[in-house]
Amino acid sequence: MNLQYALGIAGLTLAVGIGTAAFAGPDEDKLVINDVIEMITEAPAPEHVKQLGTIYSGWRFRTDDTQALEADDFSNPAMLAVDAAAEAFSKVEGEAGKSCASCHEDVSKFKGLAPSMPKVVDGKVVVFEDMINSCRTNNMKAEAWKWNSDEMQGMVALIKNQSRGMPVNVTIDGDAKPFWEKGKEMYYTRYGQLELSCANCHEDNYGNMIRADHLSQGQINGFPTYRLKQAKLISVHNRFKGCIRDTRAETFKEGSDEFKALELYVASRGNGLSVETPAVRQ
Amino acid sequence: MKRATNVLAALSVCAASAAFAAPPAPGDVVYEDGAVAQSLTGAPGDPAAGKVLMNKGSGNCIACHAVSDLSELQFHGEIGPSLDGAADRWNEAQLRGIVANAKMTFPETMMPSFYKVDGFIRPGNAYTGKAPEGPLDPLLSAQQIEDVVAYLMTLKE
């Protein structure tokens, strides 16, 4: 069906070039988690990405099997890491003899924080990994967690999960403006020997197949996501890294200023979609 | 048939080799309205080898294009148009130009430039994500470009 459509449209593609909207598109499924939490997987595009028309969660582009895993916490493989983080939250670690719970009581106190993340504090983009490690090193006198470690991504997922269902609402003006601009510039830069930008795949071609992959809009409202391929929770920056590496480019590092600016920008493209953490992807 | 092609190819390699020392460096290829008239090797390519490249490594054309002749292979992409009938739409010189550097024909196209080695932003060492260790090789060699072009020339409807 998709293939035939693509074949039929070949002449048109040539004539108008790519950049026209997706051909195959997202499916029409609704995501209601645990039969209770209704998720916004589709919303009018925010003013600053009007060209998208409508924004969609990556969930809408996945197969029924993958979709089903996320719809129920009992089948969501990410929940193991989230449960482990819930235990870690009240575990005393470090020389100060404290746990997260010593100061933050219950993790549910973080409800409402995820939709506004990342944000700019004191002239720097702050992402969850920074906040958590700052508390670990300064407040607990414990060792920092590695960016991609199960502990770190489990904790990020646990905190973001408190806001599951709430619409993303990242600030892009004021102090955030220069970082947002930097992220936007990166989004449209054609990196690597293949000379491909994020926009080439996730704006001009979402809905289309690239080899065996059904391209989504590359939204991050569900991060950290459990990737079935890697069989673990993966960070936003790890995903960015993989996508840039696949353009035969020299990537940036997890935690780099570049990826933080890009995270801010990409998050803002999802303003209006529900926080879906922890999402499940192929 | 295949044998005949190979013999022909071998013959023209001999005939051309006197006049044709080495393939032009990617920067020296002459494009006219996107087309490249001269074979990069001075000889016709091998369509059978070209067919393999459509699905392989640095070619991987079907990541983006559907080709009915390759329907035994799974998962054809939808990014670019179907290549069925490509040889009816374009002549050999135009196809050579498109495969070597499609941006000379379609200025902003998403199609990678297969015979190009510089002018990239943060190029990497293949798919390692690391910086390259020396000068880059083109995605396809001159011979491979000719092989792919020879294969595309068989796509008539």
Side-chain angles (χ1 to χ4, degrees):
Chain A
M1 156 63 189
N2 291 349
L3 188 65
Q4 226 178 354
Y5 197 28
L7 287 174
I9 211 154
L12 183 72
T13 313
L14 256 186
V16 300
I18 51 164
T20 37
F23 303 137
D27 68 14
E28 294 297 322
D29 295 345
K30 289 210 158 42
L31 176 56
V32 183
I33 292 189
N34 302 334
D35 290 324
V36 179
I37 318 172
E38 286 196 28
M39 308 294 281
I40 308 161
T41 61
E42 167 176 351
E47 206 53 49
H48 54 271
V49 275
K50 264 285 168 266
Q51 66 277 19
L52 285 177
T54 305
I55 52 173
Y56 300 98
S57 158
W59 185 84
R60 295 281 294 277
F61 298 84
R62 306 281 52 97
T63 62
D64 288 349
D65 289 349
T66 306
Q67 286 183 333
L69 290 174
E70 188 183 320
D72 187 322
D73 283 349
F74 283 110
S75 57
N76 187 333
M79 281 304 167
L80 252 111
V82 172
D83 290 345
E87 273 185 35
F89 198 84
S90 47
K91 190 172 156 216
V92 174
E93 262 191 271
E95 284 164 24
K98 298 215 188 306
S99 73
C100 314
S102 316
C103 302
H104 295 291
E105 284 176 60
D106 196 274
V107 68
S108 62
K109 290 265 190 300
F110 291 125
K111 181 172 182 178
L113 178 58
S116 67
M117 292 290 289
K119 57 185 173 187
V120 174
V121 182
D122 298 334
K124 279 192 170 160
V125 181
V126 176
V127 299
F128 272 113
E129 289 87 343
D130 296 324
M131 289 173 161
I132 294 169
N133 264 346
S134 139
C135 279
R136 282 187 61 83
T137 54
N138 299 326
N139 293 330
M140 296 167 69
K141 310 280 176 230
E143 262 183 51
W145 276 329
K146 289 214 170 74
W147 202 274
N148 287 324
S149 64
D150 293 345
E151 289 86 356
M152 176 59 93
Q153 293 309 317
M155 189 58 77
V156 176
L158 172 71
I159 295 175
K160 292 187 77 178
N161 183 251
Q162 307 307 310
S163 306
R164 192 163 60 175
M166 297 174 71
V168 175
N169 184 20
V170 171
T171 301
I172 66 169
D173 48 15
D175 289 352
K177 183 82 177 167
F179 300 100
W180 186 83
E181 293 289 355
K182 162 86 181 148
K184 179 178 179 185
E185 186 197 315
M186 289 178 71
Y187 198 87
Y188 290 95
T189 297
R190 299 186 63 165
Y191 289 113
Q193 195 174 2
L194 299 185
E195 297 176 282
L196 295 171
S197 70
C198 315
N200 282 140
C201 285
H202 293 300
E203 180 167 307
D204 300 336
N205 281 290
Y206 71 85
N208 286 334
M209 299 299 288
I210 187 160
R211 200 73 208 239
D213 285 315
H214 193 198
L215 282 168
S216 73
Q217 291 181 342
Q219 297 284 2
I220 55 174
N221 57 309
F223 273 81
T225 58
Y226 188 91
R227 272 196 91 187
L228 299 168
K229 240 183 235 172
Q230 285 161 270
K232 62 182 218 145
L233 271 183
I234 69 149
S235 67
V236 171
H237 292 193
N238 187 253
R239 182 80 236 202
F240 288 173
K241 205 172 156 182
C243 277
I244 294 193
R245 183 195 59 217
D246 287 352
T247 67
R248 297 177 75 110
E250 181 188 355
T251 61
F252 302 92
K253 288 198 174 69
E254 283 101 343
S256 62
D257 290 344
E258 287 88 353
F259 273 168
K260 287 183 191 175
L262 186 61
E263 179 172 349
L264 174 71
Y265 176 71
V266 177
S268 80
R269 291 172 69 100
N271 275 359
L273 297 174
S274 286
V275 173
E276 232 179 76
T277 311
V280 183
R281 301 289 184 257
Q282 79 291 3
Chain B
M1 173 56 202
K2 184 173 167 224
R3 197 185 236 160
T5 324
N6 288 342
V7 171
L8 264 181
L11 274 177
S12 24
V13 170
C14 298
S17 55
F20 204 92
D28 296 337
V29 175
V30 181
Y31 292 84
E32 268 175 83
D33 293 327
V36 176
Q38 286 274 331
S39 160
L40 300 180
T41 58
D46 171 8
K51 186 172 181 169
V52 173
L53 289 165
M54 296 295 290
N55 173 44
K56 223 190 73 183
S58 305
N60 202 8
C61 317
I62 66 170
C64 292
H65 293 283
V67 185
S68 300
D69 183 51
L70 301 172
S71 56
E72 77 277 7
L73 300 169
Q74 267 187 308
F75 305 125
H76 296 213
E78 301 172 325
I79 308 286
S82 159
L83 296 183
D84 291 359
D88 300 326
R89 292 188 291 279
W90 309 97
N91 64 35
E92 187 185 300
Q94 289 171 321
L95 286 172
R96 183 177 293 113
I98 293 173
V99 179
N101 187 350
K103 287 162 192 96
M104 298 294 186
T105 303
F106 315 106
E108 294 290 306
T109 189
M110 188 171 156
M111 180 160 155
S113 302
F114 288 93
Y115 200 61
K116 179 180 160 180
V117 287
D118 49 22
F120 305 116
I121 301 170
R122 291 181 75 91
N125 179 3
Y127 292 103
T128 61
K130 302 206 168 77
E133 275 158 14
L136 297 175
D137 289 327
L139 294 168
L140 295 176
S141 67
Q143 182 63 54
Q144 290 172 320
I145 300 279
E146 292 306 323
D147 293 344
V148 169
V149 170
Y151 173 70
L152 292 177
M153 286 303 289
T154 69
L155 299 179
K156 297 204 166 90
E157 280 178 322

